[in-house]
Each structure stands twice: as structure tokens, then as C-alpha cells.
Amino acid sequence: MTSRDVILASLRRNAPPAAPSPAKPAATTYADPEKQFADAFVSVGGKFVRVPNLAAIDAELQTLEPYSQAHKIASLVANVGRPNIDLSAFKDQHELEGIDVAIIPGEFGVAENGAVWVPGSTLGPHRAIFVVTQHLALVVQAGQIVHNMQEAYDRIRFERPGFGVFISGPSKTADIEQALVIGAHGARSCTLFLVG
């Protein structure tokens, strides 16, 4: 018997008895998940806009100063915004520098914390777009709001290896002297359009 076998045998003999897993805590639910989602999104620095349809987003975008003054606009949502750059033409992530506004579809929102799930497959080859852009607009369908993160994780599916990201408001950090700084590591503003 090797020393390795002796050590492993000793560990097995002295292992603590098996115990049942703790009960799963009850997840928080909301009487009005859409209102909770809107409140949570605004509380983390985002702007929430309810629109009846995709066409209405264009009128709302015109009221946003970052959008009306933007030189470079990218949209991954068909027929939304007035994109003037073609992301498929970029061969390198570094070419994304200087994008003023990016419009990105979210798959669903989470009422508990105002987060929006954006699958990597939606972003295509330029998955840094949501970090590189100066201002971000997210588009989510109204019927796609879940109550909590437990429900959110149950919805996430990867057909093949990939990634996704939860986005909640603009980039924020309070690491330096505990002073909140918006836009230090990503988008300086984030507007969410809830459609329908």
C-alpha cells in the first residue's frame, strides 16, 4: 500500500457523515414584475422607457441627447435606430472604438435586480460592443420579464459553448475612495426600451 493509498483510506474513514442538502429558499416574486423591473433598473442608474412597439423607439431615441449628438451608431435590432456603421465590416475588436451609441436586444429582464440577459450569440463576433460603446440602449419585449435570478438561470440555454451577460444599467464602480463613478469601465449611460 502506497502512502497515497494510506492517506486516502484515512480520509474515507474519517469523513463526516452525509447530510441532506439544505432546503432551497423560496424565491422572491412580485405582484407587478414589470414595475419592479423598471424601478430596479432606474435605481442602478439606468433610464427606463416603455414603448408600444419597435417603431416607437426611434421617436424616443431622438429625445436622448447622447443619441441625437452621436456620430457613430450601431444597432443589432432590426429596423431600430439609424445605424451608420456596419459591425460586420469590422475585422478587429479595436475598430469598435469611438462608437457613440449601440442598440442591443435583450432576451429577458429580471424584476429582482433590473438585469437584462444578453446572450453572446446576439452580439455576433463583436461581443465587446456593450463595453466599448459610450452609450447603450437595450431592447426587451414586455412579456419577457422574470421575477428573480432563479427563474432567469432556469431560462438560460446554451446550444453550444458560448457566453452571455447580465447588464443592469450603465457601467459603475465605487472602488476608488468609495465614490461612485459612472462609465469608468463601459457605457456611460444605459436606456432600456420595454416593448409592448
Side-chain angles (χ1 to χ4, degrees):
M1 189 177 231
T2 67
S3 60
R4 177 183 181 273
D5 294 331
V6 170
I7 291 169
L8 291 175
S10 176
L11 287 172
R12 285 186 196 101
R13 278 192 314 275
N14 294 300
S21 297
K24 188 175 179 180
T28 303
T29 58
Y30 302 93
D32 187 348
E34 184 182 304
K35 182 183 182 318
Q36 173 61 31
F37 175 66
D39 291 347
F41 192 81
V42 170
S43 76
V44 295
K47 179 177 180 177
F48 181 89
V49 180
R50 180 71 190 261
V51 292
N53 51 47
L54 287 176
I57 295 176
D58 287 335
E60 291 292 338
L61 283 169
Q62 295 301 327
T63 68
L64 301 176
E65 186 178 333
Y67 184 83
S68 62
Q69 296 181 358
H71 297 293
K72 289 184 175 181
I73 299 171
S75 180
L76 297 174
V77 182
N79 304 315
V80 172
R82 50 175 172 79
N84 57 14
I85 59 169
D86 178 11
L87 291 176
S88 64
F90 295 133
K91 304 297 180 221
D92 184 337
Q93 299 285 342
H94 294 90
E95 295 177 285
L96 298 175
E97 182 182 2
I99 292 178
D100 297 306
V101 176
I103 303 166
I104 297 173
E107 188 172 310
F108 61 86
V110 184
E112 179 177 45
N113 56 13
V116 175
W117 173 249
V118 179
S121 58
T122 309
L123 302 174
H126 301 298
R127 56 190 190 186
I129 185 71
F130 70 93
V131 177
V132 174
T133 187
Q134 291 294 308
H135 303 278
L136 182 61
L138 298 168
V139 178
V140 177
Q141 294 296 320
Q144 301 301 315
I145 306 297
V146 298
H147 290 273
N148 51 58
M149 289 302 288
Q150 289 90 330
E151 289 182 18
Y153 283 122
D154 287 343
R155 284 194 58 171
I156 296 172
R157 298 285 179 266
F158 290 108
E159 300 299 322
R160 57 178 193 252
F163 87 105
V165 62
F166 282 103
I167 300 173
S168 185
S171 166
K172 300 168 284 299
T173 184
D175 293 344
I176 302 166
E177 298 179 2
Q178 296 183 352
L180 181 63
V181 178
I182 304 290
H185 306 297
R188 295 185 297 155
S189 74
C190 185
T191 302
L192 185 131
F193 295 98
L194 192 67
V195 182

